Amino acid sequence: MQGIQDPKLIKHFSYINGSWHSSETEFDVTNPATGDVIAKVSNAGIAETELAVKSAKAALAMWSEKSANERAHLLRNWFNLMMQHQDDLGRILTLEQGKPLAEAKGEIAYGAAFIEWFAEEGKRVYGDTIPGPSADKRIIVIKQPVGVVASITPWNFPNAMIARKAAAALAAGCTFVVRPAAQTPLSALAMAELAERAGIPAGVFNVVTGDDAHGMGEVLTQHPDVAKFTFTGSTAVGKLLIAQCASTVKKVSMELGGNAPFIVFDDADIDAAVQGAVASKYRNAGQTCVCTNRIFVQQGVIKEFTEKLTASVAALNIGNGLTDGINIGPMISKSAADGVNKLVTESVAAGAKIILGGNIDQAGENFYQPTIMTNVTNDMPIAANEIFGPVSPIICFTYEAEVIAMANDSPYGLASYFYARDIGRIWRVAEGLEYGMVGINEGIISNAAAPFGGMKQSGNGREGSKYGLDDYLEIKYLCMGGLDK
Ligand code: NAP
């Protein structure tokens, strides 16, 4: 683990009830850029996951009874420590996940921003009073923490996907257990080390690392002491976990897959659209749920847009994320790169044309070339599936209504983007897109103050913003009677 200033941030054990917990076996964490094993991490399983849930349950009363100010103070400490250690946390993230170091540091700042934001928002858990149905009654509404929150997070944002959930849960007064993806446990454990240094009490934030996703998932979704389960990952796994949560009727939040349309209308600022497309498509080597997946371009500007996009994408540098000047790191695994290549190859067989890239890169078997394809139709594999790789399929359209119908022709409804200048069109398209988030003349839309989440099979619930706190709160109605004079 070269270049880490504070080696104590590198942890190998699960963090349960405020202590580091070793297990009998270990699993390897590898650097996707080199294939090197960078750490061996304790392989927790069902027993450790149950222990973490018990610890979170035991800590619940103590944490939920603290004032919002006290919790905010501790969360603020955690935020400060994450920012103080941004370089180290970014480096750990690049080593286990692959994204370029500047992007990794950006993710640390993005994750920390949720902790800072929810620390303050936790002070605004307001209730309500409602006029009673008769003179002797009053209706009062209070909000209380849901209880123990369990979560499973993916490898593509090893810090931010945890921070987004834990910040809201802890601010609301809930305690928290996370099982991070087995590919990226180190970022989660470094967060636990900093939570401890921040003074967050034992049992409030627990991390269990292990490669038995299924077994640990069963505990987190079915344990009677877990009140709420929150997941970020694929739609297929999300459906399975929702079903598992049914037996104990848990509150559930799901941040699942996407198939984001990116629409460029004739009246768009084409240079801005190109810049937005590159930012929303090629970040994290195309491995984000809000990545542009299908680029629809109106007939009149398709030549100009395609030429300019190709010039911009051709200038992106692919390689090890720790090397200066790299824009595109490795994909998480060989099978991920092979999966993208399969979608490209099948679409070429169906009539699409590759105008840039289109293959595994010589940098290594995990690297996929930044790619642009034209002559694509909405039903080709590269458009119908979530690509999760650095490929831009370009689809030509003529009419506004036609492109809205094509954009909505997907089971997903997470992020969408369009570039236009006509104000009437902007409202029609924004309202017509069946997506939880719409970037209008903007390719980067996530931030702590905004509600992040999807419609349709992209999930339910929202993360970030005042709406994100509600996912961790119960509404309780107090009916006060007997108030006759
Ligand atoms: P995935 O296969 O669903 O994995 C996500 C997490 O679920 C990992 O921690 C994984 O563990 C775990 N998991 C897998 N099978 C499980 C099971 N049977 N029971 C319990 N846990 C299980 O997703 P992925 O392909 O790694 O991640 C990419 C997906 O996440 C994409 O579809 C992307 O769009 C989505 N995503 C959505 C958002 C959002 O906010 N909407 C954000 C980021 C990513 P292991 O890795 O250890 O197997």
Side-chain angles (χ1 to χ4, degrees), residues 345-366:
T345 316
E346 286 172 357
S347 301
V348 168
K353 220 173 113 186
I354 293 170
I355 59 167
L356 187 74
N359 224 325
I360 307 285
D361 194 76
Q362 60 188 18
E365 62 183 11
N366 290 2

PDB file of all heavy atoms in Angstrom, residues 345-366:
ATOM      1  N   THR A 345     -19.724  -6.128 -29.269  1.00  0.00           N
ATOM      2  CA  THR A 345     -19.622  -7.075 -30.391  1.00  0.00           C
ATOM      3  C   THR A 345     -21.011  -7.473 -30.907  1.00  0.00           C
ATOM      4  O   THR A 345     -21.250  -7.502 -32.120  1.00  0.00           O
ATOM      5  CB  THR A 345     -18.865  -8.345 -29.922  1.00  0.00           C
ATOM      6  OG1 THR A 345     -17.746  -7.922 -29.166  1.00  0.00           O
ATOM      7  CG2 THR A 345     -18.390  -9.170 -31.074  1.00  0.00           C
ATOM      8  N   GLU A 346     -21.916  -7.750 -29.988  1.00  0.00           N
ATOM      9  CA  GLU A 346     -23.271  -8.145 -30.411  1.00  0.00           C
ATOM     10  C   GLU A 346     -23.970  -7.005 -31.151  1.00  0.00           C
ATOM     11  O   GLU A 346     -24.729  -7.245 -32.096  1.00  0.00           O
ATOM     12  CB  GLU A 346     -24.112  -8.526 -29.174  1.00  0.00           C
ATOM     13  CG  GLU A 346     -23.723  -9.870 -28.575  1.00  0.00           C
ATOM     14  CD  GLU A 346     -24.425 -10.158 -27.252  1.00  0.00           C
ATOM     15  OE1 GLU A 346     -25.186  -9.291 -26.756  1.00  0.00           O
ATOM     16  OE2 GLU A 346     -24.194 -11.257 -26.718  1.00  0.00           O
ATOM     17  N   SER A 347     -23.705  -5.770 -30.728  1.00  0.00           N
ATOM     18  CA  SER A 347     -24.360  -4.632 -31.377  1.00  0.00           C
ATOM     19  C   SER A 347     -23.760  -4.360 -32.758  1.00  0.00           C
ATOM     20  O   SER A 347     -24.473  -3.961 -33.682  1.00  0.00           O
ATOM     21  CB  SER A 347     -24.276  -3.396 -30.474  1.00  0.00           C
ATOM     22  OG  SER A 347     -24.894  -3.690 -29.251  1.00  0.00           O
ATOM     23  N   VAL A 348     -22.465  -4.599 -32.887  1.00  0.00           N
ATOM     24  CA  VAL A 348     -21.833  -4.467 -34.216  1.00  0.00           C
ATOM     25  C   VAL A 348     -22.458  -5.511 -35.165  1.00  0.00           C
ATOM     26  O   VAL A 348     -22.806  -5.203 -36.310  1.00  0.00           O
ATOM     27  CB  VAL A 348     -20.302  -4.635 -34.121  1.00  0.00           C
ATOM     28  CG1 VAL A 348     -19.674  -4.805 -35.504  1.00  0.00           C
ATOM     29  CG2 VAL A 348     -19.685  -3.433 -33.402  1.00  0.00           C
ATOM     30  N   ALA A 349     -22.664  -6.713 -34.649  1.00  0.00           N
ATOM     31  CA  ALA A 349     -23.289  -7.769 -35.479  1.00  0.00           C
ATOM     32  C   ALA A 349     -24.703  -7.354 -35.887  1.00  0.00           C
ATOM     33  O   ALA A 349     -25.194  -7.750 -36.951  1.00  0.00           O
ATOM     34  CB  ALA A 349     -23.310  -9.078 -34.700  1.00  0.00           C
ATOM     35  N   ALA A 350     -25.348  -6.522 -35.059  1.00  0.00           N
ATOM     36  CA  ALA A 350     -26.721  -6.084 -35.367  1.00  0.00           C
ATOM     37  C   ALA A 350     -26.739  -4.820 -36.223  1.00  0.00           C
ATOM     38  O   ALA A 350     -27.810  -4.282 -36.518  1.00  0.00           O
ATOM     39  CB  ALA A 350     -27.469  -5.853 -34.060  1.00  0.00           C
ATOM     40  N   GLY A 351     -25.552  -4.281 -36.583  1.00  0.00           N
ATOM     41  CA  GLY A 351     -25.511  -3.147 -37.518  1.00  0.00           C
ATOM     42  C   GLY A 351     -24.877  -1.879 -36.987  1.00  0.00           C
ATOM     43  O   GLY A 351     -24.760  -0.888 -37.712  1.00  0.00           O
ATOM     44  N   ALA A 352     -24.448  -1.848 -35.735  1.00  0.00           N
ATOM     45  CA  ALA A 352     -23.801  -0.641 -35.204  1.00  0.00           C
ATOM     46  C   ALA A 352     -22.380  -0.525 -35.760  1.00  0.00           C
ATOM     47  O   ALA A 352     -21.793  -1.519 -36.208  1.00  0.00           O
ATOM     48  CB  ALA A 352     -23.755  -0.697 -33.682  1.00  0.00           C
ATOM     49  N   LYS A 353     -21.852   0.719 -35.711  1.00  0.00           N
ATOM     50  CA  LYS A 353     -20.515   0.978 -36.250  1.00  0.00           C
ATOM     51  C   LYS A 353     -19.625   1.536 -35.146  1.00  0.00           C
ATOM     52  O   LYS A 353     -20.056   2.427 -34.399  1.00  0.00           O
ATOM     53  CB  LYS A 353     -20.669   2.042 -37.345  1.00  0.00           C
ATOM     54  CG  LYS A 353     -19.811   1.833 -38.573  1.00  0.00           C
ATOM     55  CD  LYS A 353     -20.185   2.843 -39.623  1.00  0.00           C
ATOM     56  CE  LYS A 353     -19.021   3.795 -39.818  1.00  0.00           C
ATOM     57  NZ  LYS A 353     -19.327   4.900 -40.726  1.00  0.00           N
ATOM     58  N   ILE A 354     -18.394   1.022 -35.041  1.00  0.00           N
ATOM     59  CA  ILE A 354     -17.466   1.575 -34.034  1.00  0.00           C
ATOM     60  C   ILE A 354     -16.667   2.692 -34.703  1.00  0.00           C
ATOM     61  O   ILE A 354     -16.054   2.470 -35.754  1.00  0.00           O
ATOM     62  CB  ILE A 354     -16.491   0.486 -33.539  1.00  0.00           C
ATOM     63  CG1 ILE A 354     -17.258  -0.574 -32.743  1.00  0.00           C
ATOM     64  CG2 ILE A 354     -15.377   1.085 -32.686  1.00  0.00           C
ATOM     65  CD1 ILE A 354     -16.455  -1.812 -32.413  1.00  0.00           C
ATOM     66  N   ILE A 355     -16.680   3.891 -34.107  1.00  0.00           N
ATOM     67  CA  ILE A 355     -15.851   4.943 -34.700  1.00  0.00           C
ATOM     68  C   ILE A 355     -14.670   5.316 -33.802  1.00  0.00           C
ATOM     69  O   ILE A 355     -13.783   6.048 -34.204  1.00  0.00           O
ATOM     70  CB  ILE A 355     -16.659   6.193 -35.094  1.00  0.00           C
ATOM     71  CG1 ILE A 355     -17.381   6.790 -33.888  1.00  0.00           C
ATOM     72  CG2 ILE A 355     -17.628   5.902 -36.217  1.00  0.00           C
ATOM     73  CD1 ILE A 355     -17.914   8.186 -34.210  1.00  0.00           C
ATOM     74  N   LEU A 356     -14.667   4.778 -32.581  1.00  0.00           N
ATOM     75  CA  LEU A 356     -13.508   4.971 -31.699  1.00  0.00           C
ATOM     76  C   LEU A 356     -13.465   3.811 -30.719  1.00  0.00           C
ATOM     77  O   LEU A 356     -14.497   3.400 -30.199  1.00  0.00           O
ATOM     78  CB  LEU A 356     -13.639   6.288 -30.914  1.00  0.00           C
ATOM     79  CG  LEU A 356     -12.425   6.683 -30.087  1.00  0.00           C
ATOM     80  CD1 LEU A 356     -11.285   7.184 -30.976  1.00  0.00           C
ATOM     81  CD2 LEU A 356     -12.777   7.780 -29.069  1.00  0.00           C
ATOM     82  N   GLY A 357     -12.263   3.284 -30.451  1.00  0.00           N
ATOM     83  CA  GLY A 357     -12.094   2.227 -29.447  1.00  0.00           C
ATOM     84  C   GLY A 357     -12.730   0.929 -29.899  1.00  0.00           C
ATOM     85  O   GLY A 357     -12.545   0.484 -31.023  1.00  0.00           O
ATOM     86  N   GLY A 358     -13.477   0.303 -28.957  1.00  0.00           N
ATOM     87  CA  GLY A 358     -14.214  -0.904 -29.319  1.00  0.00           C
ATOM     88  C   GLY A 358     -13.553  -2.192 -28.910  1.00  0.00           C
ATOM     89  O   GLY A 358     -13.914  -3.258 -29.404  1.00  0.00           O
ATOM     90  N   ASN A 359     -12.559  -2.097 -27.977  1.00  0.00           N
ATOM     91  CA  ASN A 359     -11.898  -3.339 -27.591  1.00  0.00           C
ATOM     92  C   ASN A 359     -11.255  -3.239 -26.202  1.00  0.00           C
ATOM     93  O   ASN A 359     -11.114  -2.149 -25.662  1.00  0.00           O
ATOM     94  CB  ASN A 359     -10.816  -3.699 -28.618  1.00  0.00           C
ATOM     95  CG  ASN A 359     -10.884  -5.179 -28.960  1.00  0.00           C
ATOM     96  OD1 ASN A 359     -11.182  -6.006 -28.098  1.00  0.00           O
ATOM     97  ND2 ASN A 359     -10.610  -5.510 -30.214  1.00  0.00           N
ATOM     98  N   ILE A 360     -10.818  -4.406 -25.710  1.00  0.00           N
ATOM     99  CA  ILE A 360      -9.994  -4.423 -24.493  1.00  0.00           C
ATOM    100  C   ILE A 360      -8.711  -3.671 -24.843  1.00  0.00           C
ATOM    101  O   ILE A 360      -8.190  -3.796 -25.952  1.00  0.00           O
ATOM    102  CB  ILE A 360      -9.651  -5.886 -24.102  1.00  0.00           C
ATOM    103  CG1 ILE A 360     -10.913  -6.764 -24.001  1.00  0.00           C
ATOM    104  CG2 ILE A 360      -8.782  -5.947 -22.850  1.00  0.00           C
ATOM    105  CD1 ILE A 360     -11.768  -6.575 -22.787  1.00  0.00           C
ATOM    106  N   ASP A 361      -8.197  -2.885 -23.901  1.00  0.00           N
ATOM    107  CA  ASP A 361      -7.015  -2.067 -24.195  1.00  0.00           C
ATOM    108  C   ASP A 361      -5.723  -2.822 -23.900  1.00  0.00           C
ATOM    109  O   ASP A 361      -5.707  -3.739 -23.068  1.00  0.00           O
ATOM    110  CB  ASP A 361      -7.054  -0.789 -23.355  1.00  0.00           C
ATOM    111  CG  ASP A 361      -6.074   0.246 -23.843  1.00  0.00           C
ATOM    112  OD1 ASP A 361      -6.363   0.885 -24.873  1.00  0.00           O
ATOM    113  OD2 ASP A 361      -4.997   0.400 -23.210  1.00  0.00           O
ATOM    114  N   GLN A 362      -4.660  -2.380 -24.554  1.00  0.00           N
ATOM    115  CA  GLN A 362      -3.371  -3.046 -24.332  1.00  0.00           C
ATOM    116  C   GLN A 362      -2.826  -2.798 -22.918  1.00  0.00           C
ATOM    117  O   GLN A 362      -1.892  -3.478 -22.467  1.00  0.00           O
ATOM    118  CB  GLN A 362      -2.350  -2.608 -25.371  1.00  0.00           C
ATOM    119  CG  GLN A 362      -2.081  -1.114 -25.347  1.00  0.00           C
ATOM    120  CD  GLN A 362      -1.219  -0.666 -26.512  1.00  0.00           C
ATOM    121  OE1 GLN A 362      -1.084  -1.357 -27.510  1.00  0.00           O
ATOM    122  NE2 GLN A 362      -0.614   0.511 -26.368  1.00  0.00           N
ATOM    123  N   ALA A 363      -3.417  -1.834 -22.192  1.00  0.00           N
ATOM    124  CA  ALA A 363      -2.979  -1.577 -20.808  1.00  0.00           C
ATOM    125  C   ALA A 363      -3.210  -2.791 -19.908  1.00  0.00           C
ATOM    126  O   ALA A 363      -2.595  -2.901 -18.845  1.00  0.00           O
ATOM    127  CB  ALA A 363      -3.715  -0.369 -20.242  1.00  0.00           C
ATOM    128  N   GLY A 364      -4.079  -3.700 -20.312  1.00  0.00           N
ATOM    129  CA  GLY A 364      -4.316  -4.900 -19.496  1.00  0.00           C
ATOM    130  C   GLY A 364      -5.714  -5.443 -19.696  1.00  0.00           C
ATOM    131  O   GLY A 364      -6.584  -4.769 -20.244  1.00  0.00           O
ATOM    132  N   GLU A 365      -5.933  -6.665 -19.202  1.00  0.00           N
ATOM    133  CA  GLU A 365      -7.200  -7.352 -19.486  1.00  0.00           C
ATOM    134  C   GLU A 365      -8.398  -6.708 -18.796  1.00  0.00           C
ATOM    135  O   GLU A 365      -9.535  -6.943 -19.181  1.00  0.00           O
ATOM    136  CB  GLU A 365      -7.094  -8.834 -19.084  1.00  0.00           C
ATOM    137  CG  GLU A 365      -6.837  -9.033 -17.607  1.00  0.00           C
ATOM    138  CD  GLU A 365      -6.650 -10.500 -17.217  1.00  0.00           C
ATOM    139  OE1 GLU A 365      -6.506 -11.356 -18.108  1.00  0.00           O
ATOM    140  OE2 GLU A 365      -6.659 -10.777 -16.000  1.00  0.00           O
ATOM    141  N   ASN A 366      -8.165  -5.847 -17.785  1.00  0.00           N
ATOM    142  CA  ASN A 366      -9.281  -5.181 -17.103  1.00  0.00           C
ATOM    143  C   ASN A 366      -9.628  -3.827 -17.724  1.00  0.00           C
ATOM    144  O   ASN A 366     -10.564  -3.171 -17.286  1.00  0.00           O
ATOM    145  CB  ASN A 366      -8.940  -4.920 -15.624  1.00  0.00           C
ATOM    146  CG  ASN A 366      -8.889  -6.197 -14.815  1.00  0.00           C
ATOM    147  OD1 ASN A 366      -9.064  -7.279 -15.364  1.00  0.00           O
ATOM    148  ND2 ASN A 366      -8.651  -6.085 -13.526  1.00  0.00           N
TER     149      ASN A 366
END
